[in-house]
Amino acid sequence: MDEAETRRDVAREAPDGDMLAAGEVPEAVEVPESESDEVRGADEVPEPRAVRGAREVRDTRALVRATALRLFRERGYAATTMRLVAQEAGVATGNAYYHFASKDHLVQELYLDVTQDHARRSAAMLAAGGDLPTLLRGVLHAGLDAFAGYHAFGTEFITVAIRPTSAASPFSPASRGARATSDDVFRQVVDAAAPAVPRHLRADLPELLWLAQLGVTLFWVHDGSPDQRRTRALVDGAAPLVGRLVSLARLPVARRVTDDLLHLVREAMRVEDDDVGRAGDASGRETADAHVVGGGGARRAGTVSADVRSPGGGSADGA
């Protein structure tokens, strides 16, 4: 064997492929058993077990959620069972229940997903500004666009969400995140409108516009016209009407009527929030007990808070 071949053989034995001097013996490289396929870098710190466990929990929850939303789009509510979601996600059924107490909670995740999409679709239009009818029309159409992919199963979802004790109800404590997102969109509508909305309406109008959107959504669910054109026409006609009513609220003769209406809505919403919150507490306890008895896993769900935000009181100062 010549000298060049000898050097190549020694180099193959050297760690990291470094060339050794003639006659130099390579040092042994110790590889931990857990890293037999890869040598850990000198500055790399092993991930603590607790951190790794928390990350795996988040990943599993995200996987179950994404799988459920896909199945809702493909098969609808009735055909999407918790067992099927777990099977498609490749996890145990009890593991799926650990992250989501019921299928209604997964529908609520769908609602959250749609409201976030609605906010994204509305952002550019709100940034451009305009009068109240123009902004309201654009935001309501953006909401219909966000819901469009679920129209075939809309009746099923509405049937679930309309139950007062359902986690999927837009008034439920579980829906606070989605509701806050929608409230923010309509608050931006009010804040960005030019001319400005009368001061005494600014606190409560976003809530009223959100309630109006719920009514539009209910109409949309039952709209069988091509591309739900009747709902689009309803939005186009309702937005200018809302604008005119808000303008009339500047007049002293309409101010008292407006204040009485706002007070009535405020009180109705406060009663609704309290009733739904109490029902949610009872439902949460029953769901948690059912999963313990039925082997659904160590579900974290317990009682839920009833402090859904009630509409803020409108200022009594002038327009």
Side-chain angles (χ1 to χ4, degrees):
M1 178 181 300
D2 60 22
E3 183 177 338
E5 291 176 341
T6 301
R7 287 182 178 274
R8 282 195 297 270
D9 290 341
V10 173
R12 281 195 293 268
E13 296 177 6
D16 298 327
D18 292 334
M19 185 72 73
L20 298 178
E24 184 177 355
V25 179
E27 296 180 356
V29 178
E30 295 183 1
V31 180
E33 293 182 2
S34 62
E35 300 174 15
S36 57
D37 296 329
E38 182 179 4
V39 178
R40 190 183 298 276
D43 298 330
E44 188 175 350
V45 179
E47 184 179 42
R49 182 177 300 176
V51 175
R52 183 171 64 251
R55 175 173 51 78
E56 290 173 351
V57 167
R58 289 194 302 269
D59 290 348
T60 301
R61 186 184 189 281
L63 175 61
V64 171
R65 182 185 188 277
T67 302
L69 297 189
R70 174 178 61 81
L71 290 172
F72 282 142
R73 286 191 296 268
E74 294 175 357
R75 307 191 184 195
Y77 176 82
T80 301
T81 64
M82 289 295 286
R83 183 180 299 276
L84 177 62
V85 170
Q87 179 181 334
E88 290 280 322
V91 302
T93 304
N95 203 355
Y97 274 115
Y98 175 80
H99 294 285
F100 299 98
S102 68
K103 191 165 66 168
D104 285 5
H105 285 79
L106 285 168
V107 174
Q108 195 280 328
E109 291 294 318
L110 174 91
Y111 178 45
L112 176 61
D113 207 53
V114 170
T115 55
Q116 290 172 343
D117 185 28
H118 179 206
R120 287 190 294 270
R121 291 172 182 268
S122 302
M125 183 270 304
L126 288 170
D131 58 16
L132 181 64
T134 299
L135 295 179
L136 179 59
R137 179 182 179 277
V139 163
L140 291 177
H141 277 297
L144 295 176
D145 293 337
F147 274 104
Y150 300 98
H151 186 263
F153 310 110
T155 303
E156 292 182 75
F157 295 134
I158 288 294
T159 300
V160 176
I162 207 169
R163 297 199 308 265
T165 58
S166 172
S169 167
F171 299 99
S172 75
S175 293
R176 277 180 294 184
R179 184 170 173 178
T181 299
S182 290
D183 280 348
D184 184 62
V185 169
F186 288 109
R187 189 160 300 282
Q188 290 181 63
V189 169
V190 172
D191 291 344
V197 170
R199 189 179 304 170
H200 70 286
L201 294 180
R202 291 175 198 167
D204 293 292
L205 189 56
E207 185 99 25
L208 295 175
L209 297 180
W210 174 71
L211 291 172
Q213 185 195 36
L214 293 184
V216 169
T217 303
L218 184 60
F219 186 90
W220 169 84
V221 165
H222 296 283
D223 183 2
S225 62
D227 298 322
Q228 292 71 59
R229 292 174 189 166
R230 287 187 297 172
T231 307
R232 302 282 183 175
L234 174 65
V235 168
D236 291 341
L241 177 60
V242 171
R244 286 195 291 272
L245 290 174
V246 169
S247 295
L248 286 174
R250 292 184 172 88
L251 303 176
V253 68
R255 172 68 182 269
R256 184 171 180 178
V257 175
T258 303
D259 288 346
D260 288 345
L261 176 61
L262 290 177
H263 176 75
L264 179 63
V265 172
R266 247 181 252 129
E267 291 302 311
M269 291 299 296
R270 186 173 293 114
V271 170
E272 171 104 24
D273 289 344
D274 290 344
D275 289 346
V276 171
R278 285 192 292 270
D281 283 343
S283 177
R285 287 192 294 270
E286 292 171 1
T287 300
D289 292 343
H291 288 319
V292 171
V293 174
R299 172 62 196 165
R300 295 170 297 172
T303 58
V304 289
S305 173
D307 59 345
V308 180
R309 187 184 69 80
S310 58
S315 174
D317 48 9

